[in-house]
PDB file of all heavy atoms in Angstrom:
ATOM      1  N   LEU A 122       0.845  -1.192   0.000  1.00 98.00           N
ATOM      2  CA  LEU A 122       0.000   0.000   0.000  1.00 98.00           C
ATOM      3  C   LEU A 122       0.880   1.240   0.000  1.00 98.00           C
ATOM      4  O   LEU A 122       1.617   1.485   0.958  1.00 98.00           O
ATOM      5  CB  LEU A 122      -0.910   0.007   1.229  1.00 98.00           C
ATOM      6  CG  LEU A 122      -1.799   1.231   1.432  1.00 98.00           C
ATOM      7  CD1 LEU A 122      -2.713   1.449   0.235  1.00 98.00           C
ATOM      8  CD2 LEU A 122      -2.611   1.098   2.708  1.00 98.00           C
ATOM      9  N   SER A 123       0.821   2.018  -1.078  1.00 98.00           N
ATOM     10  CA  SER A 123       1.567   3.269  -1.171  1.00 98.00           C
ATOM     11  C   SER A 123       0.614   4.435  -0.986  1.00 98.00           C
ATOM     12  O   SER A 123      -0.533   4.402  -1.444  1.00 98.00           O
ATOM     13  CB  SER A 123       2.273   3.385  -2.529  1.00 98.00           C
ATOM     14  OG  SER A 123       3.440   2.595  -2.562  1.00 98.00           O
ATOM     15  N   PHE A 124       1.113   5.486  -0.323  1.00 98.00           N
ATOM     16  CA  PHE A 124       0.260   6.629  -0.031  1.00 98.00           C
ATOM     17  C   PHE A 124       1.112   7.883   0.161  1.00 98.00           C
ATOM     18  O   PHE A 124       2.345   7.818   0.271  1.00 98.00           O
ATOM     19  CB  PHE A 124      -0.589   6.368   1.218  1.00 98.00           C
ATOM     20  CG  PHE A 124       0.193   6.136   2.486  1.00 98.00           C
ATOM     21  CD1 PHE A 124       0.454   7.173   3.377  1.00 98.00           C
ATOM     22  CD2 PHE A 124       0.676   4.870   2.795  1.00 98.00           C
ATOM     23  CE1 PHE A 124       1.168   6.957   4.550  1.00 98.00           C
ATOM     24  CE2 PHE A 124       1.410   4.644   3.959  1.00 98.00           C
ATOM     25  CZ  PHE A 124       1.652   5.685   4.838  1.00 98.00           C
ATOM     26  N   ALA A 125       0.445   9.019   0.189  1.00 97.00           N
ATOM     27  CA  ALA A 125       1.101  10.298   0.455  1.00 97.00           C
ATOM     28  C   ALA A 125       0.273  11.059   1.473  1.00 97.00           C
ATOM     29  O   ALA A 125      -0.963  11.012   1.446  1.00 97.00           O
ATOM     30  CB  ALA A 125       1.257  11.107  -0.828  1.00 97.00           C
ATOM     31  N   LEU A 126       0.925  11.756   2.376  1.00 96.00           N
ATOM     32  CA  LEU A 126       0.287  12.615   3.372  1.00 96.00           C
ATOM     33  C   LEU A 126       0.499  14.060   2.962  1.00 96.00           C
ATOM     34  O   LEU A 126       1.647  14.514   2.853  1.00 96.00           O
ATOM     35  CB  LEU A 126       0.879  12.346   4.759  1.00 96.00           C
ATOM     36  CG  LEU A 126       0.379  13.191   5.934  1.00 96.00           C
ATOM     37  CD1 LEU A 126      -1.134  13.052   6.100  1.00 96.00           C
ATOM     38  CD2 LEU A 126       1.098  12.787   7.218  1.00 96.00           C
ATOM     39  N   GLU A 127      -0.566  14.743   2.695  1.00 95.00           N
ATOM     40  CA  GLU A 127      -0.487  16.109   2.173  1.00 95.00           C
ATOM     41  C   GLU A 127       0.348  17.004   3.090  1.00 95.00           C
ATOM     42  O   GLU A 127       0.157  17.029   4.306  1.00 95.00           O
ATOM     43  CB  GLU A 127      -1.901  16.691   2.043  1.00 95.00           C
ATOM     44  CG  GLU A 127      -1.936  18.082   1.425  1.00 95.00           C
ATOM     45  CD  GLU A 127      -3.347  18.619   1.299  1.00 95.00           C
ATOM     46  OE1 GLU A 127      -4.304  17.824   1.370  1.00 95.00           O
ATOM     47  OE2 GLU A 127      -3.490  19.852   1.148  1.00 95.00           O
ATOM     48  N   GLY A 128       1.302  17.723   2.493  1.00 94.00           N
ATOM     49  CA  GLY A 128       2.118  18.674   3.236  1.00 94.00           C
ATOM     50  C   GLY A 128       3.280  18.056   3.978  1.00 94.00           C
ATOM     51  O   GLY A 128       4.021  18.779   4.656  1.00 94.00           O
ATOM     52  N   VAL A 129       3.470  16.746   3.859  1.00 96.00           N
ATOM     53  CA  VAL A 129       4.547  16.069   4.587  1.00 96.00           C
ATOM     54  C   VAL A 129       5.328  15.203   3.605  1.00 96.00           C
ATOM     55  O   VAL A 129       4.743  14.357   2.913  1.00 96.00           O
ATOM     56  CB  VAL A 129       3.993  15.181   5.723  1.00 96.00           C
ATOM     57  CG1 VAL A 129       5.139  14.496   6.470  1.00 96.00           C
ATOM     58  CG2 VAL A 129       3.143  15.995   6.677  1.00 96.00           C
ATOM     59  N   HIS A 130       6.631  15.416   3.526  1.00 96.00           N
ATOM     60  CA  HIS A 130       7.439  14.566   2.660  1.00 96.00           C
ATOM     61  C   HIS A 130       7.481  13.162   3.247  1.00 96.00           C
ATOM     62  O   HIS A 130       7.565  12.991   4.483  1.00 96.00           O
ATOM     63  CB  HIS A 130       8.858  15.123   2.526  1.00 96.00           C
ATOM     64  CG  HIS A 130       9.642  14.495   1.413  1.00 96.00           C
ATOM     65  ND1 HIS A 130      10.215  13.244   1.530  1.00 96.00           N
ATOM     66  CD2 HIS A 130       9.919  14.928   0.154  1.00 96.00           C
ATOM     67  CE1 HIS A 130      10.831  12.936   0.389  1.00 96.00           C
ATOM     68  NE2 HIS A 130      10.659  13.941  -0.459  1.00 96.00           N
ATOM     69  N   PRO A 131       7.430  12.131   2.392  1.00 97.00           N
ATOM     70  CA  PRO A 131       7.477  10.754   2.911  1.00 97.00           C
ATOM     71  C   PRO A 131       8.679  10.475   3.806  1.00 97.00           C
ATOM     72  O   PRO A 131       8.574   9.678   4.751  1.00 97.00           O
ATOM     73  CB  PRO A 131       7.520   9.911   1.639  1.00 97.00           C
ATOM     74  CG  PRO A 131       6.787  10.729   0.630  1.00 97.00           C
ATOM     75  CD  PRO A 131       7.166  12.159   0.935  1.00 97.00           C
ATOM     76  N   HIS A 132       9.813  11.109   3.547  1.00 97.00           N
ATOM     77  CA  HIS A 132      10.977  10.891   4.408  1.00 97.00           C
ATOM     78  C   HIS A 132      10.712  11.395   5.825  1.00 97.00           C
ATOM     79  O   HIS A 132      11.124  10.764   6.809  1.00 97.00           O
ATOM     80  CB  HIS A 132      12.208  11.581   3.823  1.00 97.00           C
ATOM     81  CG  HIS A 132      12.734  10.923   2.595  1.00 97.00           C
ATOM     82  ND1 HIS A 132      13.639  11.541   1.749  1.00 97.00           N
ATOM     83  CD2 HIS A 132      12.496   9.701   2.041  1.00 97.00           C
ATOM     84  CE1 HIS A 132      13.917  10.735   0.739  1.00 97.00           C
ATOM     85  NE2 HIS A 132      13.233   9.615   0.898  1.00 97.00           N
ATOM     86  N   ASP A 133      10.042  12.555   5.953  1.00 97.00           N
ATOM     87  CA  ASP A 133       9.706  13.078   7.284  1.00 97.00           C
ATOM     88  C   ASP A 133       8.714  12.150   7.980  1.00 97.00           C
ATOM     89  O   ASP A 133       8.832  11.876   9.181  1.00 97.00           O
ATOM     90  CB  ASP A 133       9.116  14.487   7.164  1.00 97.00           C
ATOM     91  CG  ASP A 133      10.131  15.499   6.649  1.00 97.00           C
ATOM     92  OD1 ASP A 133      11.322  15.364   6.997  1.00 97.00           O
ATOM     93  OD2 ASP A 133       9.739  16.411   5.902  1.00 97.00           O
ATOM     94  N   LEU A 134       7.733  11.667   7.222  1.00 97.00           N
ATOM     95  CA  LEU A 134       6.778  10.722   7.796  1.00 97.00           C
ATOM     96  C   LEU A 134       7.489   9.463   8.261  1.00 97.00           C
ATOM     97  O   LEU A 134       7.243   8.969   9.371  1.00 97.00           O
ATOM     98  CB  LEU A 134       5.711  10.376   6.763  1.00 97.00           C
ATOM     99  CG  LEU A 134       4.711   9.289   7.152  1.00 97.00           C
ATOM    100  CD1 LEU A 134       3.920   9.687   8.390  1.00 97.00           C
ATOM    101  CD2 LEU A 134       3.771   8.972   5.993  1.00 97.00           C
ATOM    102  N   GLY A 135       8.396   8.949   7.433  1.00 97.00           N
ATOM    103  CA  GLY A 135       9.116   7.746   7.800  1.00 97.00           C
ATOM    104  C   GLY A 135       9.949   7.920   9.049  1.00 97.00           C
ATOM    105  O   GLY A 135      10.056   7.007   9.878  1.00 97.00           O
ATOM    106  N   THR A 136      10.529   9.098   9.216  1.00 97.00           N
ATOM    107  CA  THR A 136      11.356   9.375  10.401  1.00 97.00           C
ATOM    108  C   THR A 136      10.514   9.391  11.660  1.00 97.00           C
ATOM    109  O   THR A 136      10.892   8.821  12.696  1.00 97.00           O
ATOM    110  CB  THR A 136      12.090  10.713  10.223  1.00 97.00           C
ATOM    111  OG1 THR A 136      12.952  10.634   9.088  1.00 97.00           O
ATOM    112  CG2 THR A 136      12.919  11.043  11.459  1.00 97.00           C
ATOM    113  N   ILE A 137       9.363  10.039  11.599  1.00 97.00           N
ATOM    114  CA  ILE A 137       8.488  10.099  12.776  1.00 97.00           C
ATOM    115  C   ILE A 137       7.911   8.723  13.084  1.00 97.00           C
ATOM    116  O   ILE A 137       7.823   8.317  14.255  1.00 97.00           O
ATOM    117  CB  ILE A 137       7.367  11.140  12.552  1.00 97.00           C
ATOM    118  CG1 ILE A 137       7.989  12.540  12.449  1.00 97.00           C
ATOM    119  CG2 ILE A 137       6.344  11.093  13.684  1.00 97.00           C
ATOM    120  CD1 ILE A 137       7.028  13.618  12.017  1.00 97.00           C
ATOM    121  N   LEU A 138       7.531   7.982  12.053  1.00 98.00           N
ATOM    122  CA  LEU A 138       7.038   6.630  12.281  1.00 98.00           C
ATOM    123  C   LEU A 138       8.106   5.754  12.929  1.00 98.00           C
ATOM    124  O   LEU A 138       7.802   4.911  13.787  1.00 98.00           O
ATOM    125  CB  LEU A 138       6.580   6.008  10.964  1.00 98.00           C
ATOM    126  CG  LEU A 138       5.251   6.516  10.407  1.00 98.00           C
ATOM    127  CD1 LEU A 138       5.023   5.975   8.996  1.00 98.00           C
ATOM    128  CD2 LEU A 138       4.085   6.123  11.297  1.00 98.00           C
ATOM    129  N   ASP A 139       9.354   5.933  12.540  1.00 97.00           N
ATOM    130  CA  ASP A 139      10.439   5.173  13.155  1.00 97.00           C
ATOM    131  C   ASP A 139      10.514   5.436  14.652  1.00 97.00           C
ATOM    132  O   ASP A 139      10.765   4.523  15.449  1.00 97.00           O
ATOM    133  CB  ASP A 139      11.764   5.524  12.477  1.00 97.00           C
ATOM    134  CG  ASP A 139      12.924   4.702  13.001  1.00 97.00           C
ATOM    135  OD1 ASP A 139      12.755   3.483  13.192  1.00 97.00           O
ATOM    136  OD2 ASP A 139      14.005   5.276  13.232  1.00 97.00           O
ATOM    137  N   GLU A 140      10.274   6.685  15.049  1.00 96.00           N
ATOM    138  CA  GLU A 140      10.251   7.020  16.476  1.00 96.00           C
ATOM    139  C   GLU A 140       9.129   6.291  17.201  1.00 96.00           C
ATOM    140  O   GLU A 140       9.193   6.069  18.410  1.00 96.00           O
ATOM    141  CB  GLU A 140      10.094   8.532  16.657  1.00 96.00           C
ATOM    142  CG  GLU A 140      11.278   9.343  16.133  1.00 96.00           C
ATOM    143  CD  GLU A 140      11.011  10.837  16.148  1.00 96.00           C
ATOM    144  OE1 GLU A 140       9.880  11.238  16.506  1.00 96.00           O
ATOM    145  OE2 GLU A 140      11.927  11.613  15.794  1.00 96.00           O
ATOM    146  N   GLU A 141       8.095   5.920  16.447  1.00 95.00           N
ATOM    147  CA  GLU A 141       6.955   5.201  17.015  1.00 95.00           C
ATOM    148  C   GLU A 141       7.109   3.683  16.886  1.00 95.00           C
ATOM    149  O   GLU A 141       6.176   2.927  17.176  1.00 95.00           O
ATOM    150  CB  GLU A 141       5.666   5.634  16.298  1.00 95.00           C
ATOM    151  CG  GLU A 141       5.318   7.095  16.478  1.00 95.00           C
ATOM    152  CD  GLU A 141       4.930   7.408  17.911  1.00 95.00           C
ATOM    153  OE1 GLU A 141       4.142   6.632  18.493  1.00 95.00           O
ATOM    154  OE2 GLU A 141       5.419   8.411  18.463  1.00 95.00           O
ATOM    155  N   GLY A 142       8.278   3.250  16.420  1.00 97.00           N
ATOM    156  CA  GLY A 142       8.520   1.819  16.285  1.00 97.00           C
ATOM    157  C   GLY A 142       7.899   1.195  15.061  1.00 97.00           C
ATOM    158  O   GLY A 142       7.640  -0.012  15.023  1.00 97.00           O
ATOM    159  N   VAL A 143       7.662   2.026  14.020  1.00 98.00           N
ATOM    160  CA  VAL A 143       7.058   1.557  12.786  1.00 98.00           C
ATOM    161  C   VAL A 143       8.038   1.771  11.635  1.00 98.00           C
ATOM    162  O   VAL A 143       8.548   2.889  11.454  1.00 98.00           O
ATOM    163  CB  VAL A 143       5.736   2.287  12.484  1.00 98.00           C
ATOM    164  CG1 VAL A 143       5.118   1.773  11.183  1.00 98.00           C
ATOM    165  CG2 VAL A 143       4.759   2.137  13.638  1.00 98.00           C
ATOM    166  N   ALA A 144       8.282   0.734  10.873  1.00 98.00           N
ATOM    167  CA  ALA A 144       9.224   0.822   9.749  1.00 98.00           C
ATOM    168  C   ALA A 144       8.453   0.765   8.445  1.00 98.00           C
ATOM    169  O   ALA A 144       7.794  -0.239   8.141  1.00 98.00           O
ATOM    170  CB  ALA A 144      10.233  -0.322   9.808  1.00 98.00           C
ATOM    171  N   ILE A 145       8.488   1.854   7.665  1.00 98.00           N
ATOM    172  CA  ILE A 145       7.938   1.864   6.317  1.00 98.00           C
ATOM    173  C   ILE A 145       9.050   2.243   5.349  1.00 98.00           C
ATOM    174  O   ILE A 145      10.149   2.620   5.757  1.00 98.00           O
ATOM    175  CB  ILE A 145       6.770   2.864   6.165  1.00 98.00           C
ATOM    176  CG1 ILE A 145       7.268   4.303   6.370  1.00 98.00           C
ATOM    177  CG2 ILE A 145       5.626   2.527   7.094  1.00 98.00           C
ATOM    178  CD1 ILE A 145       6.330   5.363   5.873  1.00 98.00           C
ATOM    179  N   ARG A 146       8.770   2.172   4.071  1.00 97.00           N
ATOM    180  CA  ARG A 146       9.693   2.636   3.037  1.00 97.00           C
ATOM    181  C   ARG A 146       9.228   3.997   2.573  1.00 97.00           C
ATOM    182  O   ARG A 146       8.030   4.223   2.386  1.00 97.00           O
ATOM    183  CB  ARG A 146       9.705   1.650   1.872  1.00 97.00           C
ATOM    184  CG  ARG A 146      10.595   2.010   0.690  1.00 97.00           C
ATOM    185  CD  ARG A 146      12.064   1.978   0.985  1.00 97.00           C
ATOM    186  NE  ARG A 146      12.507   0.840   1.762  1.00 97.00           N
ATOM    187  CZ  ARG A 146      13.777   0.476   1.873  1.00 97.00           C
ATOM    188  NH1 ARG A 146      14.726   1.142   1.250  1.00 97.00           N
ATOM    189  NH2 ARG A 146      14.115  -0.551   2.618  1.00 97.00           N
ATOM    190  N   ALA A 147      10.146   4.920   2.416  1.00 97.00           N
ATOM    191  CA  ALA A 147       9.819   6.259   1.934  1.00 97.00           C
ATOM    192  C   ALA A 147      10.803   6.629   0.836  1.00 97.00           C
ATOM    193  O   ALA A 147      12.013   6.601   1.040  1.00 97.00           O
ATOM    194  CB  ALA A 147       9.895   7.269   3.072  1.00 97.00           C
ATOM    195  N   GLY A 148      10.284   6.950  -0.352  1.00 94.00           N
ATOM    196  CA  GLY A 148      11.165   7.314  -1.455  1.00 94.00           C
ATOM    197  C   GLY A 148      10.530   6.980  -2.785  1.00 94.00           C
ATOM    198  O   GLY A 148       9.311   6.866  -2.897  1.00 94.00           O
ATOM    199  N   HIS A 149      11.391   6.796  -3.797  1.00 96.00           N
ATOM    200  CA  HIS A 149      10.857   6.499  -5.128  1.00 96.00           C
ATOM    201  C   HIS A 149      10.799   4.997  -5.408  1.00 96.00           C
ATOM    202  O   HIS A 149      10.302   4.589  -6.451  1.00 96.00           O
ATOM    203  CB  HIS A 149      11.662   7.211  -6.211  1.00 96.00           C
ATOM    204  CG  HIS A 149      13.143   6.933  -6.192  1.00 96.00           C
ATOM    205  ND1 HIS A 149      13.664   5.693  -6.450  1.00 96.00           N
ATOM    206  CD2 HIS A 149      14.199   7.754  -5.962  1.00 96.00           C
ATOM    207  CE1 HIS A 149      14.995   5.743  -6.393  1.00 96.00           C
ATOM    208  NE2 HIS A 149      15.343   6.984  -6.086  1.00 96.00           N
ATOM    209  N   HIS A 150      11.310   4.183  -4.479  1.00 97.00           N
ATOM    210  CA  HIS A 150      11.176   2.729  -4.554  1.00 97.00           C
ATOM    211  C   HIS A 150      11.794   2.153  -5.835  1.00 97.00           C
ATOM    212  O   HIS A 150      11.317   1.144  -6.369  1.00 97.00           O
ATOM    213  CB  HIS A 150       9.711   2.306  -4.453  1.00 97.00           C
ATOM    214  CG  HIS A 150       8.947   3.043  -3.394  1.00 97.00           C
ATOM    215  ND1 HIS A 150       9.258   2.947  -2.055  1.00 97.00           N
ATOM    216  CD2 HIS A 150       7.912   3.928  -3.482  1.00 97.00           C
ATOM    217  CE1 HIS A 150       8.441   3.724  -1.360  1.00 97.00           C
ATOM    218  NE2 HIS A 150       7.624   4.339  -2.208  1.00 97.00           N
ATOM    219  N   CYS A 151      12.849   2.777  -6.325  1.00 97.00           N
ATOM    220  CA  CYS A 151      13.492   2.346  -7.574  1.00 97.00           C
ATOM    221  C   CYS A 151      12.482   2.306  -8.711  1.00 97.00           C
ATOM    222  O   CYS A 151      12.491   1.391  -9.547  1.00 97.00           O
ATOM    223  CB  CYS A 151      14.170   0.995  -7.415  1.00 97.00           C
ATOM    224  SG  CYS A 151      15.570   1.014  -6.281  1.00 97.00           S
ATOM    225  N   ALA A 152      11.599   3.307  -8.726  1.00 97.00           N
ATOM    226  CA  ALA A 152      10.577   3.397  -9.774  1.00 97.00           C
ATOM    227  C   ALA A 152      10.323   4.872 -10.080  1.00 97.00           C
ATOM    228  O   ALA A 152       9.188   5.352 -10.015  1.00 97.00           O
ATOM    229  CB  ALA A 152       9.302   2.699  -9.339  1.00 97.00           C
TER     230      ALA A 152
END
């Protein structure tokens, strides 16, 4: 499941999620 959060870069979202113990991928995914 890929998604975007308006006004937030996926890298920033990924960093905050990491602080919450959640690991996602953020970037262009080699695509």
Side-chain angles (χ1 to χ4, degrees):
L122 176 58
S123 282
F124 61 95
L126 178 58
E127 184 179 342
V129 180
H130 194 282
H132 289 165
D133 294 325
L134 174 61
T136 299
I137 295 171
L138 285 171
D139 184 43
E140 295 172 357
E141 297 292 315
V143 180
I145 65 164
R146 178 67 43 165
H149 55 66
H150 317 297
C151 294

